Amino acid sequence: MKHLFCLALSALILFGAAAQTFETASLRRHITFLASDDLEGRGTASLGEIRAANYIADHFKSLGLKPAGTGDSYFQPFDVSFAIEGKAHLMTGRNVVALLDNGAPKTIVVGAHYDHLGKGFQGSSLSPDSKNMIHNGADDNASGTTGVMELAKYFAENNVKEKHNYLFIAFSGEELGLIGSKHFTEKPTIPLASVSAMINMDMIGRLDEAKGIIVSGWGTSPVWGKLIPGLAKKQNLSYTVDSSGVGASDHTSFYLKNIPVVQFFTGAHGDYHKISDDPDKINYEGEARILSLIAGLLTKLDSETGEPEFVAAGNPHAGATTSNFKVTLGVMPDYSYSGKGLKIDAVSKARPAEKAGILPGDVIMKLAGEEIGTIYDYMEILSKHEKGQQVDAEFIRGKETKKVKITF
């Protein structure tokens, strides 16, 4: 009897160890380094960001992943220009790209941005008088970067040859306007036609059990509504969904190339874009559960008989149960634009904005009779409307002010 008890206990211990897919100690180690003062906030093209890029690349190399940047390198450099106190600077950002090559015809991209606001001169700090103060960005987005690194480790070491390849990408330049992911989708290091889906993680480190997680891109493929609910239940994670494939993170760049996308996000908080976004505030156990969900999602995607079907976000047959917005213009805002109005960076085909004649570079000043000061005004206006409604829009193109009617 004692022998049987010991065997049962051993089995229980082994089962428990196997169930703990992602170790909080590893998550803590990565986030603590990436969000340390030594990296000075990982501003795009800064020395701190270069150190972070090298750290991520070394991790990929230790796993035996193939370099998938430019040439025989883990890095994909790109030019980036931004102003500091009115003076333009041209510098070089770097995406960090690695491939788990299973010899498959199709590849799933797993990504997150690793840049942040540096010392308050880049992006949009919400801390008052914060110039020259380090913005560590533990949640935004050391948490998502750590997710990419740990998922790479999981699939590199699981002794399974999946039916897909996995491309792991840490993007630079996200805070300056999705620059790194846009560069990748314009100059991909693998054929973009081979990419069957993109999974993005932006701020997954502050899980609040009462609020759960926000899943964006839900409407870009029926597969998300098919697979995610059961996986979320298994991890005891509540969730809300946003149907749109367009948002303030790197999945948008892939959606605009007609690739199904899904993003995981634990929500806004009082430390967002402030100097107080530090590692001691991360919910490490919560992030481990989110990564277990994503690992399960990747595994189930691999076992599907076909590739994920792409649909324009918001299509009712896509399986969305709730949505932040019932309507969309079908545009990607220029998140680096700091003036008044909503500057358009890209326009989706056959969506309301394109049908109305709105083009990239236009700045929408009024929508439905309401002035747009910031992107948040735009989002508030969208939330008030229903599909099929027609509204007036006023926008600036060059030096001209134009007016059009938009049907949602």
Side-chain angles (χ1 to χ4, degrees):
M1 181 67 71
K2 183 178 180 181
H3 178 65
L4 289 174
F5 174 79
C6 290
L7 284 175
L9 181 61
S10 298
L12 183 62
I13 292 171
L14 286 170
F15 175 81
Q20 183 58 46
T21 305
F22 295 92
E23 298 178 357
T24 57
S26 295
L27 305 182
R28 186 182 298 273
R29 182 175 68 255
H30 292 317
I31 291 174
T32 298
F33 175 78
L34 292 168
S36 65
D37 285 351
D38 287 346
L39 269 59
E40 297 188 325
R42 307 184 311 279
T44 298
S46 68
L47 291 175
E49 195 198 44
I50 291 171
R51 288 187 61 191
N54 291 339
Y55 179 82
I56 298 163
D58 286 345
H59 179 77
F60 289 156
K61 184 177 181 180
S62 74
L63 298 173
L65 300 181
K66 287 186 176 181
T70 301
D72 190 23
S73 167
Y74 289 104
F75 306 114
Q76 183 192 32
F78 57 90
D79 291 336
V80 57
S81 177
F82 53 87
I84 297 179
E85 297 185 335
K87 185 178 180 180
H89 291 258
L90 180 62
M91 302 183 75
T92 301
R94 297 192 299 174
N95 295 327
V96 190
V97 194
L99 179 69
L100 176 57
D101 189 356
N102 288 317
K106 290 290 186 176
T107 299
I108 298 173
V109 173
V110 180
H113 77 90
Y114 74 103
D115 65 295
H116 193 51
L117 306 184
K119 298 178 79 173
F121 292 98
Q122 296 183 19
S124 53
S125 173
L126 296 178
S127 289
D129 303 318
S130 60
K131 294 294 187 291
N132 272 326
M133 299 180 72
I134 296 170
H135 294 65
N136 283 322
D139 188 28
D140 187 12
N141 188 29
S143 66
T145 304
T146 292
V148 172
M149 295 170 69
E150 286 297 290
L151 285 164
K153 183 176 188 294
Y154 175 84
F155 283 96
E157 297 181 347
N158 67 353
N159 295 318
V160 175
K161 186 174 182 178
E162 291 87 5
K163 294 183 294 184
H164 290 86
N165 309 313
Y166 297 105
L167 192 70
F168 299 98
I169 312 180
F171 298 106
S172 176
E174 190 268 359
E175 299 287 7
L176 297 176
L178 316 186
I179 298 173
S181 58
K182 285 192 287 187
H183 179 80
F184 179 85
T185 55
E186 291 300 326
K187 297 183 179 179
T189 59
I190 66 169
L192 210 59
S194 71
V195 176
S196 63
M198 190 273 183
I199 293 176
N200 190 41
M201 292 165 282
D202 198 346
M203 297 174 61
I204 58 169
R206 298 286 285 268
L207 177 66
D208 181 326
E209 298 292 348
K211 296 178 180 178
I213 56 176
I214 297 97
V215 185
S216 299
W218 189 275
T220 67
S221 178
V223 75
W224 310 130
K226 174 184 176 182
L227 300 181
I228 291 175
L231 294 165
K233 184 176 181 181
K234 186 176 180 180
Q235 296 299 326
N236 195 28
L237 289 167
S238 61
Y239 63 94
T240 56
V241 306
D242 175 8
S243 181
S244 177
V246 174
S249 194
D250 294 303
H251 61 289
T252 300
S253 299
F254 289 81
Y255 169 73
L256 293 174
K257 297 296 184 181
N258 294 336
I259 295 171
V261 298
V262 67
Q263 174 185 257
F264 295 88
F265 170 51
T266 52
H269 49 74
D271 300 305
Y272 171 72
H273 275 205
K274 293 182 180 178
I275 59 174
S276 51
D277 183 7
D278 290 323
D280 62 338
K281 297 177 180 177
I282 297 295
N283 180 347
Y284 292 97
E285 188 274 336
E287 176 158 348
R289 286 160 54 203
I290 293 167
L291 293 179
S292 292
L293 185 162
I294 297 172
L297 177 60
L298 287 164
T299 299
K300 284 187 175 292
L301 279 175
D302 196 62
S303 65
E304 289 283 293
T305 55
E307 299 302 318
E309 174 194 354
F310 175 81
V311 284
N315 190 318
H317 86 264
T321 54
T322 63
S323 176
N324 291 343
F325 306 107
K326 296 178 182 178
V327 298
T328 178
L329 287 185
V331 299
M332 183 172 84
D334 181 349
Y335 293 102
S336 64
Y337 177 70
S338 57
K340 187 178 180 181
L342 184 80
K343 187 174 183 180
I344 306 305
D345 193 48
V347 180
S348 297
K349 291 183 179 180
R351 306 298 285 162
E354 187 196 51
K355 291 178 180 179
I358 292 174
L359 301 174
D362 291 345
V363 181
I364 302 177
M365 305 303 295
K366 284 186 178 181
L367 187 64
E370 296 186 54
E371 291 191 0
I372 298 176
T374 69
I375 189 172
Y376 300 105
D377 297 331
Y378 163 68
M379 294 165 68
E380 178 66 23
I381 295 167
L382 285 186
S383 70
K384 299 176 183 178
H385 290 86
E386 304 281 342
K387 192 171 182 179
Q389 287 184 322
Q390 187 178 74
V391 299
D392 293 321
E394 182 177 308
F395 62 92
I396 296 172
R397 178 177 296 164
K399 295 182 179 179
E400 291 185 80
T401 297
K402 295 179 175 288
K403 296 181 179 180
V404 296
K405 291 191 179 294
I406 292 178
T407 301
F408 291 120

